[in-house]
């Protein structure tokens, strides 16, 4: 006679499909993140209550347009036509993942899964991600240089980092690059893997740049995304009556984001915040005003979309989009 096995909660948990379990991971990560940053969130929310609502709505609008710009850039990095609705939803969800893992790893992982689901092989998916990252970084630097050319006194870049610290950062980056290059050179399997990836990436980049529509999407989106991010900070600064010209605020944002990109913090949280405050102060803002503007900007661009983004990410995982 067979012995009846009690259906315990642990056994029911083991039978839970792994994709349904994964849907709960983004929500748990958001809950932990919000709990750790709650004093900052509450302080920023109080400051937003006294800000100009129309400028805040403008900041929300350009934040939403930023996901559209990223979608265009992602489409421009591949030859195949991607499903527009799922592509936009993936970028919104990737924003939530990006604020959990450092250095853009969350967004990169989500987009790699999305491209694989669209039928691209691993090598081409990775090549598309690398091309997008290169174009986005180049677009950010080009915008910064263009604004500095038009407003050369907008920012004292030396205020962001002193010469000694800058030299140490450059030397560290050079040593890391040299160590990676030597590792690739002396390990044959790794060398073959890297050379194969480079061949695929270069071939895809040449193919993409032979199609004007893809070039426009890739570089237009890569320039529009940081421009919209800077416009969001400009709108928040205007909402809080920050006594700094709008162009100077945009320069401060681009300079701070370029500098903070080298610091591996989740979503740039902490590194970008500190750099933004310093950049706004060097542009002429008082310390309290700069801090308020950065807190309000973070609420609009990070904290408000975080929970909806996590819900969308969970849904995309469940529907096997990513």
């Amino acid at each position: 006679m067979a012995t009846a096995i009690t259906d315990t909660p642990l056994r029911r948990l083991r039978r839970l499909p792994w994709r349904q379990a994964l849907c709960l991971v983004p929500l748990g990560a958001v809950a932990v993140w919000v709990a750790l940053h709650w004093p900052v969130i509450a302080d920023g929310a109080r400051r937003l209550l006294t800000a100009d609502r129309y400028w805040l709505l403008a900041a929300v609008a350009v934040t939403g347009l930023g996901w559209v710009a990223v979608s265009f850039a992602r489409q421009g990095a591949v030859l195949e036509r991607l499903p527009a609705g799922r592509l936009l939803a993936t970028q919104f969800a990737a924003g939530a993942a990006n604020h959990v893992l450092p250095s853009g790893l969350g967004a990169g992982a989500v987009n790699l899964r999305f491209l694989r689901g669209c039928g691209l092989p691993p090598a081409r998916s990775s090549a598309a991600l690398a091309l997008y990252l290169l174009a986005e970084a180049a677009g950010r630097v080009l915008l910064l240089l263009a604004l500095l050319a038009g407003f050369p006194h907008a920012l004292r870049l030396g205020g962001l980092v002193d010469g000694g610290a800058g030299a140490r950062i450059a030397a560290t980056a050079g040593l890391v690059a040299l160590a990676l290059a030597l590792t690739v050179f002396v390990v044959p399997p790794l060398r073959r893997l890297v050379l194969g990836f480079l061949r695929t990436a270069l071939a895809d980049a040449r193919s993409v740049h032979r199609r004007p529509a893809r070039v426009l999407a890739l570089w237009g989106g890569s320039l529009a995304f940081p421009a919209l991010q800077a416009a969001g900070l400009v709108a928040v600064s205007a909402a809080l009556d920050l006594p700094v010209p709008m162009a100077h605020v945009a320069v401060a944002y681009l300079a701070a984001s370029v500098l903070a990109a080298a610091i591996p913090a989740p979503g740039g949280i902490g590194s970008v915040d500190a750099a933004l405050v310093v950049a706004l102060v060097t542009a002429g803002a008082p310390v309290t005003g700069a801090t308020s503007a950065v807190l309000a900007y973070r609420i609009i661009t990070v904290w408000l979309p975080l929970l909806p983004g996590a819900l969308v990410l969970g849904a995309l995982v469940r529907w096997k989009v990513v």
Side-chain angles (χ1 to χ4, degrees), residues 19-43:
R19 283 192 174 272
Q20 294 184 12
L22 282 179
C23 294
L24 303 177
V25 173
L27 298 179
V30 169
V32 173
W33 193 93
V34 169
L36 293 175
H37 295 83
W38 180 249
V40 177
I41 297 174
D43 184 51

Side-chain angles (χ1 to χ4, degrees), residues 78-97:
V78 297
L79 290 172
E80 292 81 359
R81 185 174 182 81
L82 303 175
R86 282 183 284 172
L87 176 60
L88 180 59
T90 300
Q91 303 321 304
F92 181 61

Side-chain angles (χ1 to χ4, degrees), residues 7-300:
D7 191 17
T8 64
L10 180 59
R11 293 183 181 277
R12 288 195 297 269
L13 181 61
R14 287 174 178 172
R15 292 201 302 267
L16 186 67
W18 68 271
R19 283 192 174 272
Q20 294 184 12
L22 282 179
C23 294
L24 303 177
V25 173
L27 298 179
V30 169
V32 173
W33 193 93
V34 169
L36 293 175
H37 295 83
W38 180 249
V40 177
I41 297 174
D43 184 51
R46 284 193 294 269
R47 295 177 188 276
L48 281 178
L49 294 177
T50 60
D52 186 293
R53 295 182 181 178
Y54 294 104
W55 278 113
L56 292 180
L57 287 175
V60 172
V62 296
T63 299
L65 289 175
W67 295 310
V68 177
V70 172
S71 299
F72 272 97
R74 298 281 187 187
Q75 173 63 85
V78 297
L79 290 172
E80 292 81 359
R81 185 174 182 81
L82 303 175
R86 282 183 284 172
L87 176 60
L88 180 59
T90 300
Q91 303 321 304
F92 181 61
N98 209 36
H99 297 299
V100 177
L101 297 175
S103 299
L105 293 178
V110 170
N111 277 284
L112 279 176
R113 292 283 302 175
F114 172 70
L115 293 175
R116 291 293 309 280
C118 291
L120 272 72
R124 294 197 55 225
S125 299
S126 302
L129 178 61
L131 179 58
Y132 163 79
L133 293 175
L134 179 61
E136 198 273 335
R140 195 175 294 271
V141 173
L142 287 174
L143 280 177
L144 174 60
L145 294 177
L147 283 176
L148 284 176
F151 305 92
H153 304 294
L155 188 68
R156 298 188 300 275
L157 292 177
L160 289 176
V161 59
D162 59 63
R168 289 192 294 272
I169 292 174
T172 302
L175 289 174
V176 170
L178 180 60
L180 290 175
L182 289 175
T183 302
V184 170
F185 180 77
V186 300
V187 181
L190 185 59
R191 183 170 66 247
R192 288 192 295 270
L193 179 64
V194 171
L195 290 177
F197 169 77
L198 289 177
R199 282 193 293 268
T200 301
L202 290 174
D204 278 11
R206 285 194 298 267
S207 300
V208 162
H209 284 83
R210 292 193 187 105
R211 300 181 62 175
R214 292 294 184 265
V215 173
L216 180 61
L218 174 63
W219 291 102
S222 297
L223 287 168
F225 178 54
L228 288 167
Q229 287 184 312
L233 183 59
V234 168
V236 170
S237 300
L240 296 174
D241 292 322
L242 202 67
V244 180
M246 291 185 176
H248 293 200
V249 174
V251 171
Y253 171 79
L254 291 169
S257 62
V258 168
L259 176 64
I263 303 174
I269 295 167
S271 58
V272 170
D273 294 345
L276 273 178
V277 171
V278 174
L280 288 174
V281 170
T282 61
V287 175
T288 55
T291 304
S292 299
V294 171
L295 288 175
Y297 177 70
R298 276 301 190 180
I299 284 181
I300 291 174

